[in-house]
Amino acid sequence: MPQQELLNALADDLDGAFERLVRTFQDRLYTFAHRLCGGREDAEEVAQDAFVRAYRALGTYPEERIRALALQAWLYRITLNVARNRRRRKRLPQVSIDNGGAAGEAARLAWDSPDDPGSRPDSRLEQAQQRANLASLVSTLPERYRSAIILRYVEGLSLEEVADVLKQPLGTAKSNVHRAVNLLRRAITESRR
Amino acid sequence: MNRKLKASMNPTLTVVRGLKSLPREHAPKSLLPAVLHRVGLGDTYWRLETSIGPVFVARSRAGISMVTRARSGSEFARLFESRFGRPIAPDKSRPPRNVRAVAEGRLRGRDAGLRFDLRGLSEFERAVLGKALEIPPGEVRPYSWIAREIGHPDAVRATGSALAKNPVPLLIPCHRVVRSDGHIGNYSMGGSRNKRALLESEGAQPDMLEKLAAAGVRYFGNEKERYFCFPTCGGLQSLMKENRVHFGSQQEALTAGYHPCGSCRPAAVAA
């Protein structure tokens, strides 16, 4: 299992193996941070901070703890914490999904999905536009729903893994994912009216 | 209504599918070097003044990774980035004493405790460079000597290629390896002129070596003690001229009853 190999390498020689860790996870953590924060610049800083924190933490862990780490979930958790702290520090204005404005417009556009046979767009450009709109809609969700739904459907984690990253009971994680989907659905439906 | 159509009308499914279709993004190129730099694993470089002009020395945590001449730090940084695909910053600290001593030919690389970052090289290439590190300042060895010493006596040409690819010349002294016919051969850091200048600054007398080679002399023998050496062997320094004999080949020396010197090892030394 390559993940275990990487963990062993980190346990044996952190400095020698750390670059491999970054190369392996940089796209995943950057994408995750981007979906969480919305902006590319924020995403890069969050991913950077997350890796630096991971390095420092690994330096304090005994070997056995590194070898037994659920690496991916651990890294997502660190990224999530960095993003949360950052948001708190910056006190970013939260746009509610319910009011119109940019979010409402995004919601309306996101609904015109290729799965809707009534309005199937043929061009790839439109599909890309819809994805962008859906992504920006996700970024307006309250944090606890946003992180749950990104981990579950964008990053493709199982519900157990989502619960593990969020340090929540399985039932809570499940209901957060569920509510997130409902919120998105409702926002989209309402925007259509 | 068929199942497919029903599913496509289901707004929850549409949301989930939309989320799943969001693409994975590529982290910007600047992410990795920024992280490595922040945790102290990034590469940095020093500038050294040497007998062949300014030379730049790159180091990572794993060790010294690249040495080359450049007109400026920024030119060196560009060379480094194009070779390794990661950026490099000037090192704020002074080059350590052992690095300076090795670069100036005052200390043998093997004795300086320098660590090298040779990650991209093959085992054979690393063996060649490791052997070159043993050659003391002021002495030279032929390519065939390295090939024999690392257990690949037939790989003389491959030894030459490995030395030509040496990422850390000067500190791993490939300039102390010369052609078996006495010509001093090529050099990656500025050609044979610089190789000659370096050897001269270390006291190896390349002109004398070429003259000897032209006269067919490859080895010196100690007539009194009956051993033979490469002409630059440090063990010969106290040898009086009247006790010195010349040989054109190993075979000639061995046939005359001379045994190879245990220090410069001009031929395989019996265990």
Side-chain angles (χ1 to χ4, degrees), chain B residues 184-242:
Chain B
I184 64 164
N186 225 328
Y187 188 44
S188 64
M189 271 209 306
S192 58
R193 225 178 81 190
N194 277 350
K195 189 167 183 174
R196 186 180 297 273
L198 280 172
L199 291 174
E200 270 166 8
S201 76
E202 295 175 358
Q205 297 178 289
D207 293 346
M208 184 270 285
L209 288 174
E210 280 179 342
K211 269 186 204 148
L212 284 172
V217 178
R218 303 278 162 81
Y219 306 96
F220 286 166
N222 182 329
E223 201 176 17
K224 245 178 161 175
E225 298 180 28
R226 311 294 285 179
Y227 64 83
F228 71 104
C229 302
F230 287 116
T232 56
C233 177
L236 287 173
Q237 271 167 4
S238 56
L239 178 64
M240 309 285 274
K241 221 171 180 180
E242 54 269 28

Side-chain angles (χ1 to χ4, degrees), chain B residues 65-246:
Chain B
S65 53
M66 182 173 169
V67 175
T68 192
R69 292 192 313 156
R71 278 187 296 267
S72 65
S74 55
E75 187 191 65
F76 175 73
R78 274 198 302 280
L79 288 170
F80 182 90
E81 276 188 56
S82 70
R83 181 158 176 176
F84 293 103
R86 47 181 203 263
I88 186 161
D91 203 299
K92 303 273 185 282
S93 67
R94 224 172 109 74
R97 195 173 301 181
N98 59 354
V99 171
R100 280 182 284 144
V102 173
E104 289 160 13
R106 289 184 283 111
L107 183 63
R108 180 156 65 160
R110 198 185 65 177
D111 305 327
L114 296 182
R115 285 189 312 141
F116 296 99
D117 182 356
L118 303 175
R119 275 176 286 183
L121 301 187
S122 71
E123 208 173 305
F124 176 81
E125 288 165 338
R126 282 202 289 266
V128 168
L129 297 181
K131 187 47 76 174
L133 208 52
E134 293 181 15
I135 309 171
E139 300 191 21
V140 297
R141 300 281 186 276
Y143 292 99
S144 56
W145 177 83
I146 291 203
R148 173 168 52 76
E149 287 267 318
I150 63 169
H152 295 278
D154 297 328
V156 178
R157 192 178 284 262
T159 298
S161 310
L163 288 166
K165 271 176 63 184
N166 179 10
V168 285
L170 200 65
L171 298 181
I172 291 184
C174 52
H175 61 279
R176 292 179 201 147
V177 186
V178 298
R179 276 167 41 177
S180 302
D181 62 9
H183 287 287
I184 64 164
N186 225 328
Y187 188 44
S188 64
M189 271 209 306
S192 58
R193 225 178 81 190
N194 277 350
K195 189 167 183 174
R196 186 180 297 273
L198 280 172
L199 291 174
E200 270 166 8
S201 76
E202 295 175 358
Q205 297 178 289
D207 293 346
M208 184 270 285
L209 288 174
E210 280 179 342
K211 269 186 204 148
L212 284 172
V217 178
R218 303 278 162 81
Y219 306 96
F220 286 166
N222 182 329
E223 201 176 17
K224 245 178 161 175
E225 298 180 28
R226 311 294 285 179
Y227 64 83
F228 71 104
C229 302
F230 287 116
T232 56
C233 177
L236 287 173
Q237 271 167 4
S238 56
L239 178 64
M240 309 285 274
K241 221 171 180 180
E242 54 269 28
N243 289 333
R244 194 171 83 187
V245 288
H246 294 173

Side-chain angles (χ1 to χ4, degrees), chain A residues 15 27 31 34 44 48-49 115, chain B residues 8 23 25 27 30 38 61:
Chain A
D15 288 356
D27 289 349
T31 306
H34 191 199
E44 185 174 357
Q48 223 188 77
D49 285 356
D115 289 321
Chain B
S8 71
E25 296 182 30
S30 49
R38 282 181 59 189
R61 271 239 184 139

Side-chain angles (χ1 to χ4, degrees), chain B residues 9-60:
Chain B
M9 299 287 280
N10 178 344
T12 303
L13 215 60
T14 306
V15 167
V16 169
R17 278 191 187 160
L19 290 168
K20 282 184 175 172
S21 73
L22 291 178
R24 160 128 333 139
E25 296 182 30
H26 291 292
K29 279 209 173 96
S30 49
L31 181 63
L32 175 69
V35 169
L36 293 180
H37 182 74
R38 282 181 59 189
V39 301
L41 295 176
D43 300 81
T44 55
Y45 68 83
W46 294 296
R47 180 192 161 115
L48 290 180
E49 300 305 328
T50 73
S51 57
I52 55 167
V55 161
F56 292 84
V57 178
R59 64 141 175 197
S60 66

